Amino acid sequence: SRDDYASSSDDPAVPHLLCVVQDTGPGMDAETQAVLFQPFSQGTSKLPRLAGGAGLGLAISADLVTIMGGTIGAFSGGLGRGSPSWFTLPVRPPDRPPER
C-alpha cells in the first residue's frame, strides 16, 4: 500500500515521485535487509556471489536520495523470493517558469 513507502516530507502539499524496482533474485533475510544500504555490505553470505562489487552501490544511492530529500528502502518476502526496492523524491515546481 502507499503507506508502506515512507516520505521524508511533513508537507502533504509536496508531491513525491515513487520508483519501485522488482528484483527477481534469491530474496533476503531480515539480517541482510538491516544492512542493505550500509557501505561495503554484500548482502547475504549464505548464497553464492554471482557478481562482484565493493558493496557501495546501494549506500551511494541511499546518500543521494537522502541529499535530495527523499527516502529509500526495500521489502523482502523472504529467501527464495525477489525483493522490491524503492525510493521517493519530492517533486517541487520551479520558482518561476522557464524563460523562452
Side-chain angles (χ1 to χ4, degrees), residues 25-94:
M28 62 183 151
D29 56 21
E31 179 183 322
T32 301
Q33 193 171 358
V35 298
L36 191 61
F37 296 99
Q38 300 300 312
F40 307 108
S41 173
Q42 290 286 329
T44 183
S45 59
K46 297 173 187 156
L47 297 171
R49 297 266 316 144
L50 300 177
L56 291 173
L58 290 176
I60 292 169
S61 297
D63 286 346
L64 288 171
V65 167
T66 300
I67 288 168
M68 292 187 284
T71 54
I72 191 167
F75 299 115
S76 178
L79 293 176
R81 302 173 76 187
S83 302
S85 55
W86 56 269
F87 67 88
T88 65
L89 292 174
V91 182
R92 295 182 177 92

Side-chain angles (χ1 to χ4, degrees), residues 4 22 33 43 97:
D4 292 335
Q22 177 63 48
Q33 193 171 358

Side-chain angles (χ1 to χ4, degrees), residues 1-9 16-18 69-73 75 86-89:
S1 80
R2 186 171 184 213
D3 293 333
D4 292 335
Y5 304 100
S7 171
S8 62
S9 173
H16 281 72
L17 169 74
L18 169 63
T71 54
I72 191 167
F75 299 115
W86 56 269
F87 67 88
T88 65
L89 292 174

